[in-house]
Amino acid sequence: MQLNVSRAAVADILDVLARHNPGVPKAALKGKSKVVAAVAAATVGLSEEQQRRILAYEKVLGKTMESVVADLGGEHPDELIRVEADKIVEISQGEGLGDLLDESEGRRRLEAIAAPVRLEDWAGPVAGPSEIERKFGTRRSTLHEWQKRGAVIGLLRGERKHVFPLAQFVDGRPIEGMSEIVRVIGNPRAAWQWLVQSKPSIGGAPLERLKKGHVSQVVEAAERDFG
C-alpha cells in the first residue's frame, strides 16, 4: 500500500495545520506539512504488526520522532548512514553524576590509582639551562628571556628547577610560532603535551607542523581546542 503524497495531499495537510495553529503564518507551516506527509507515507508502509509495536511505545513516540527529525535536519543527506534496526529505539537517560568530592578526597583517590611517570617518558629529552648553554651556546639570560616571552617552554622539575625539551630548538633557536601557542593554551605543561601528540586533523604532531613552517595552521588548531 502506498500513500498519495502529491502536492494536493501536502496542501491538504497544510490546511489542517493552519486550522489548528491559527497564530502561525501559513508560510511557516509549508515546510512542516511536507515533513508530516513524508512521515505519514513511511508509516503507511509498515505492517499492522509493526504499527502495533510502535504504538506500544506511544508515550515516548513523540520525543523519538523529534530526535529523528532533528538528526536528519542537522546532517547533509550524503553523510547519513542507514542503520537497520529490528526493534524500536528506546531513549534512555543515565543516572547522572555521583556525589561531589572535596579536593582532598579527590586527590587521595587519584593518588591511589596514579602511576608515576618520568618527565622524559612523555616530554622527550630535556636539558637544564647549563646544558642548553653548553649544547647551543645560549646564555642563561637569553633563555630566561625566551621563556618569559613564551618563545620556549620550560617544564618544572621538582619545586623550582625548570628543564627545557630539546625538540623545541632548531639550530639552537626556538621554533617560530611557539609563543603564539603558549599564549593560546596558557599552561606550558599542557602546551607541550598538546604539541607533541599526533593530531590527524592537521596532518601530524603540532610541533612537527611548526617545524615545517605551518604556523597559522597550528595556531588555528590550538584556538579550536583551547579558545
Side-chain angles (χ1 to χ4, degrees):
M1 178 181 179
Q2 292 192 3
L3 189 69
N4 181 7
V5 287
S6 64
R7 290 184 179 180
V10 173
D12 289 341
I13 293 173
L14 177 59
D15 288 338
V16 172
L17 290 177
R19 192 163 58 251
H20 289 274
N21 299 273
V24 180
K26 205 166 185 178
L29 296 172
K30 196 169 184 179
K32 296 176 177 58
S33 64
K34 294 180 180 179
V35 174
V36 172
V39 172
T43 303
V44 170
L46 299 175
S47 67
E48 291 187 6
E49 177 61 26
Q50 288 174 317
Q51 292 180 42
R52 279 196 294 271
R53 290 178 183 176
I54 291 175
L55 291 176
Y57 297 93
E58 189 172 359
K59 291 183 179 180
V60 297
L61 183 57
K63 289 188 176 294
T64 302
M65 291 306 301
E66 287 178 9
S67 177
V68 171
V69 173
D71 287 344
L72 288 173
E75 299 285 349
H76 191 282
D78 294 340
E79 299 173 352
L80 297 179
I81 300 175
R82 180 179 294 278
V83 178
E84 300 293 342
D86 58 356
K87 294 182 179 179
I88 298 300
V89 177
E90 295 185 42
I91 298 178
S92 60
Q93 187 173 356
E95 297 179 359
L97 300 175
D99 295 334
L100 183 65
L101 302 178
D102 59 36
E103 183 177 352
S104 60
E105 176 62 15
R107 289 184 178 276
R108 186 190 69 78
R109 295 193 185 188
L110 283 175
E111 290 172 359
I113 61 174
V117 177
R118 293 191 320 136
L119 181 65
E120 289 85 353
D121 289 341
W122 64 268
V126 297
S130 297
E131 189 176 350
I132 294 288
E133 187 170 7
R134 287 195 303 270
K135 186 180 291 289
F136 302 128
T138 304
R139 294 182 179 180
R140 286 171 174 260
S141 58
T142 302
L143 184 63
H144 176 72
E145 179 62 25
W146 285 347
Q147 183 182 10
K148 186 178 179 180
R149 291 192 287 109
V152 297
I153 290 177
L155 303 175
L156 192 63
R157 170 176 275 172
E159 294 185 1
R160 301 179 62 182
K161 181 181 177 181
H162 281 89
V163 292
F164 301 84
L166 295 177
Q168 65 187 313
F169 297 97
V170 174
D171 298 330
R173 296 193 58 79
I175 298 173
E176 183 184 356
M178 188 69 73
S179 57
E180 288 94 327
I181 300 302
V182 174
R183 174 185 56 79
V184 172
I185 298 179
N187 182 282
R189 197 178 190 90
W192 187 253
Q193 287 178 321
W194 184 82
L195 282 164
V196 297
Q197 292 178 357
S198 179
K199 193 170 184 61
S201 63
I202 61 173
L207 184 66
E208 296 305 315
R209 300 299 290 170
L210 284 181
K211 289 181 178 180
K212 293 179 180 179
H214 302 289
V215 176
S216 60
Q217 181 195 48
V218 177
V219 172
E220 289 172 3
E223 290 174 340
R224 287 195 300 270
D225 288 352
F226 295 91

